[in-house]
Structure formats: C-alpha cells, structure tokens
Amino acid sequence: MQSNGRFIFEAAFLKDDIFVRCDILKRNECGSWDIIEVKSSTKIKDEHLPDVAIQKYVVERCDFEIGQVSLMLINSKDCYFPDLSNLFILFDVSGEIQDSYNEISGNLTIMKSTLEKTDEPINSIGDHCSNPTECPFKDYCWKDVPKQSIFTIPRLHKTKKKELIKAGILDIIHIPVDFKLSDKQQDYVDAVKNNEKQISIAEIRTHLDTLEYPLYFFDFETLNPAIPRFVGMKPYEDFAFQYSCHVMDNNGELEHREYLHTDESDPRLPITESLIKDLGDRGSIIVYNAPFERRILQKLRDTFSEYSIALDNIIERLWDQLDIFKSYYMDPAFYGSNSIKNVLPALAPELSYESLNVQKGDDAQAIWEKMIRETNMEKKQQLIEDLKTYCEMDTLAMVRIHLVLAGI
C-alpha cells in the first residue's frame, strides 16, 4: 500500500474472510473516502460493477465511510500522443452498483457454503466458462467435451447451447434431426455427421481467376497499446511493426521479402517505405482477413500523405483468401473456425506452428516488446529470428493453402 496523504494506492482490506484491494482510495473534503477502480477498458462493462461493489461492501465494514465509487477508464476518443493529460476518464457508478451491492450478502453465504462442502460442486459448462474471463478450471470441466462439439457450430446462440447442454448433448452427432438451426448451421452439422467436406469448386475457380500475377502473400504483425507512444496515435490504435511477403511469379517461383522494426523508434514510416518497395505497383496482394490489413494501410496512408497514391494502389489490390472459407469451402476438420490456424492443418498438415518459439499473434506482440528493449545482443538476435520465422510461416501458410485451392 502506498499513500501520499489524500490518496492511498493498492489499499488492502480483510473482513470476515473477504479480501479486497482497491486501486485508489481518495480522501475527499468531507472526510469520507472515494473508491476509484482503474480498468484498461474504454467503456463500462457489466462485470465492472460487482467488482467495485464488493470493494465498497468490505471497506465499509472496516469502518471507512465511502462517498463516491468511480471507474477510471481509458479515453480512446480524445487522447492523442504526445499529450496524455486526458488519457483517463472518470465515471461515477455509485448508483449503478446498487443492485450488485444488495446481492453481495446472499452471494457470500452461497460461496462460503460451497467452500465448506467436501464434495465437488456440480455446475453446467457453457459460455460463462469463458466470458467475461476464462475460468481457471475450464480445462478440467471441459475434459470430456469432444472436438466436434456443439461449441463449434457457427454463431449458435447461447440459449440453443443451454438447451442442448440441459439435454446432455455435447457431441454434434447426437443433435436431434428436428433441432432448429439456421441453414448455415444445419449445413455444418450435416457435414460433421457425414464427415463430408462442402466445396463449391466452380465458385472457388471463379474467385481464383480474378488473381493477377505476380501474387504477393502478405501479412502484418501489429500492436495496439493502451498508452499510445507515437505522434498522433490514440489509445489502442494499431500500428504495424513487422510484415512478411512471399512473392509468386506465374511460373510458381517463390521469393520471400520481409521487414521487422528492431528498436523503440516509430516504425510507421520505415515500414511504409519498405512495403511500397516490396509490393510493387501491380499484382494481387493476398491476405487473410482483408479488413484488418486494409485498416492498417489506410492509417498509414492518412498519416503519410506523400505516399497516398502508392498506398491506395496497394489497398485496391488486396485479395482476401478468407472469403473462400467463409462461403465456398467447409471442412469438419476446421472445427467450426475459419482461422488460418484451423484451416492450415486440414489443408497442409506438413506445415505446423507447434515447433516455433512464437505460435500466435499475441506471442509476437509480447516478444517484439521484449526484443526492442533487449540490451543483450545475442538474446536480441534470437528474438528477432523467432519473430521473423513466425511471420514468414503465416505467409507461407497462405501460399500452401493457395496451391491446394488451385489444385482443386
């Protein structure tokens, strides 16, 4: 706990075996204390209210008079680097927490009763196991959930899931034929039950025929920090720090190009100049989920107007490989997801992320942050190689997927 008189940071309270820690306690002019809970969110979420309600409940029972209860959130609308004076915005939720506050006593009785039991509590699994945060016991409770479970059905509403769970149905093959599903959901369930792929060959061919050589298989790695660090950027605004590009000519020959920013300076201008050079002015640029790449490119264009013509040319040439798997190619082996991490093992099992030191985008973000601050050059170089290998795998995966599609 730290204090400067009017403020106490990380104040901890224990009462009747209930422990809470307050981010900020502020002494106000009338002698009572205000609770301020700091969240990285940009808006108030339902789960924030019981969080601060239990703090008020315990602190009051430790003989502290509580005045206002507030949430301090990130201001993603009006804050721009380098002026961070308005990074945070305060919301008074004293009234909004009342319902949660009134339920605390009853909830605590139930919790204590559960803790006193010697038998394992029984509770149904469902979306609540992951939302708003993932339960640490999920792996244990979901150990008997099959791979082809009802949770892989695209956009199945939580009420439908609850209905099936209540009936003891977790495996798709046990869903009754008269269970109401949307057409797309029913197609998926039928494909799983029959272990059949659904491939629209003519539509895939038509889609592929729009490609123009050379083909550029392209992927960004980005970061969106809560606290902006470069001129003109807002909280949680994405910026690219790396890309990989495999270039295929009309003979099928491949060339790999890449960029990785390796220090703490602003990467936006050098990455812009590099990608303009590497992507040329003609040929289709194949990406996986084009809206994301398009948004990053548009931000670069708006920031560096001198390159707007070249960047607009790149944006116009984007071609989304994901569209095929949204509409024309469904395989039960995707387990209900169109993510490249699900599609790749089914279409090109010889490629795998499992042996890589970086296996997903979140890992790449964390390792890049570590790499740019690393002072040991040997360790820094290893992190650089890990990042390059991961990003190269993303675009090589698109190449292999393209070859499978073309072979159809």
Side-chain angles (χ1 to χ4, degrees):
M1 180 172 69
Q2 294 182 347
S3 171
N4 69 352
R6 287 192 61 207
F7 295 91
I8 303 176
F9 301 94
E10 295 293 326
F13 297 86
L14 177 66
K15 186 68 175 180
D16 299 330
D17 296 326
I18 310 301
F19 176 84
V20 298
R21 192 186 296 275
C22 303
D23 288 337
I24 303 172
L25 279 182
K26 177 185 175 183
R27 188 73 178 247
N28 57 44
E29 294 179 356
C30 60
S32 62
W33 293 86
D34 296 337
I35 295 176
I36 302 174
E37 176 72 5
V38 183
K39 298 293 186 184
S40 60
S41 173
T42 61
K43 61 181 180 180
I44 298 174
K45 298 180 180 179
D46 291 342
E47 59 267 25
H48 293 163
L49 302 181
D51 187 350
V52 286
I54 187 68
Q55 292 180 34
K56 179 183 179 183
Y57 180 90
V58 174
V59 174
E60 285 182 333
R61 279 152 183 77
C62 291
D63 298 325
F64 276 66
E65 182 183 352
I66 299 302
Q68 182 172 293
V69 178
S70 301
L71 290 171
M72 180 179 284
L73 307 181
I74 298 291
N75 177 13
S76 63
K77 293 183 178 179
D78 306 314
C79 178
Y80 294 88
F81 188 88
D83 181 7
L84 301 181
S85 60
N86 61 342
L87 177 63
F88 296 106
I89 187 168
L90 210 60
F91 294 91
D92 181 359
V93 293
S94 304
E96 285 89 334
I97 68 169
Q98 198 58 48
D99 287 343
S100 295
Y101 186 90
N102 294 338
E103 295 171 354
I104 289 175
S105 180
N107 289 338
L108 289 175
T109 299
I110 295 172
M111 292 176 189
K112 289 180 179 180
S113 174
T114 301
L115 289 171
E116 291 169 358
K117 293 180 179 179
T118 57
D119 296 331
E120 177 182 320
I122 303 300
N123 194 20
S124 294
I125 64 172
D127 291 345
H128 57 275
C129 298
S130 302
N131 185 31
T133 57
E134 185 159 314
C135 174
F137 292 96
K138 182 179 178 181
D139 287 344
Y140 172 78
C141 297
W142 286 54
K143 62 183 182 295
D144 296 324
V145 176
K147 275 192 170 183
Q148 296 290 9
S149 75
I150 60 173
F151 300 104
T152 68
I153 300 175
R155 292 183 171 83
L156 184 64
H157 195 272
K158 61 182 179 181
T159 56
K160 292 281 188 179
K161 293 176 189 175
K162 287 180 179 179
E163 186 178 344
L164 290 169
I165 293 168
K166 187 176 181 180
I169 297 172
L170 294 177
D171 198 317
I172 283 179
I173 63 173
H174 296 143
I175 295 178
V177 294
D178 59 349
F179 189 78
K180 186 66 176 175
L181 297 167
S182 70
D183 291 342
K184 192 167 186 177
Q185 291 167 351
Q186 190 63 58
D187 287 344
Y188 175 75
V189 168
D190 291 343
V192 171
K193 287 183 175 182
N194 299 322
N195 194 26
E196 291 179 349
K197 303 174 185 178
Q198 294 181 351
I199 306 174
S200 303
I201 296 177
E203 285 80 0
I204 291 175
R205 182 180 296 121
T206 299
H207 208 56
L208 292 175
D209 284 344
T210 64
L211 290 171
E212 178 186 348
Y213 283 88
L215 305 181
Y216 300 85
F217 298 84
F218 185 82
D219 180 62
F220 277 125
E221 294 301 329
T222 63
L223 190 68
N224 59 340
I227 303 176
R229 60 183 71 169
F230 305 123
V231 173
M233 297 195 72
K234 299 191 298 183
Y236 293 120
E237 183 175 342
D238 292 290
F239 66 87
F241 59 82
Q242 179 181 12
Y243 69 75
S244 171
C245 180
H246 276 89
V247 187
M248 179 187 290
D249 64 21
N250 53 11
N251 294 318
E253 295 294 324
L254 277 181
E255 175 190 353
H256 183 245
R257 303 170 185 175
E258 64 185 347
Y259 178 87
L260 173 63
H261 203 71
T262 58
D263 59 44
E264 295 184 67
S265 64
D266 188 341
R268 291 175 296 169
L269 180 57
I271 206 170
T272 298
E273 294 175 335
S274 181
L275 70 87
I276 289 174
K277 177 183 176 182
D278 283 344
L279 294 176
D281 58 6
R282 65 180 181 86
S284 299
I285 301 170
I286 300 175
V287 296
Y288 209 90
N289 190 24
F292 176 75
E293 264 76 19
R294 182 178 295 112
R295 187 172 74 250
I296 300 300
L297 290 163
Q298 288 171 339
K299 288 179 180 178
L300 293 175
R301 177 200 61 194
D302 296 342
T303 302
F304 305 110
S305 57
E306 65 271 30
Y307 294 111
S308 61
I309 295 176
L311 289 169
D312 276 334
N313 171 273
I314 290 171
I315 292 168
E316 291 170 3
R317 291 155 53 206
L318 293 179
W319 189 96
D320 199 343
Q321 195 174 66
L322 177 59
D323 287 344
I324 288 180
F325 299 100
K326 284 181 176 179
S327 304
Y328 310 130
Y329 196 124
M330 197 285 294
D331 188 333
F334 298 165
Y335 300 110
S337 170
N338 293 322
S339 163
I340 197 169
K341 300 296 192 298
N342 286 59
V343 171
L344 182 65
L347 270 64
E350 71 277 8
L351 285 184
S352 174
Y353 289 82
E354 291 183 2
S355 63
L356 304 184
N357 291 331
V358 182
Q359 298 187 5
K360 57 184 180 178
D362 291 348
D363 293 341
Q365 293 176 341
I367 290 177
W368 183 74
E369 291 273 37
K370 181 179 180 182
M371 180 273 292
I372 60 175
R373 293 172 173 81
E374 180 60 65
T375 57
N376 182 301
M377 294 311 297
E378 184 177 346
K379 292 180 179 179
K380 184 182 184 79
Q381 189 58 41
Q382 182 58 57
L383 295 174
I384 288 172
E385 293 306 315
D386 291 343
L387 286 166
K388 287 184 175 181
T389 302
Y390 168 74
C391 199
E392 181 178 357
M393 176 65 85
D394 273 349
T395 53
L396 183 58
M398 287 190 280
V399 171
R400 295 295 178 87
I401 291 170
H402 171 75
L403 294 175
V404 172
L405 296 174
I408 293 175

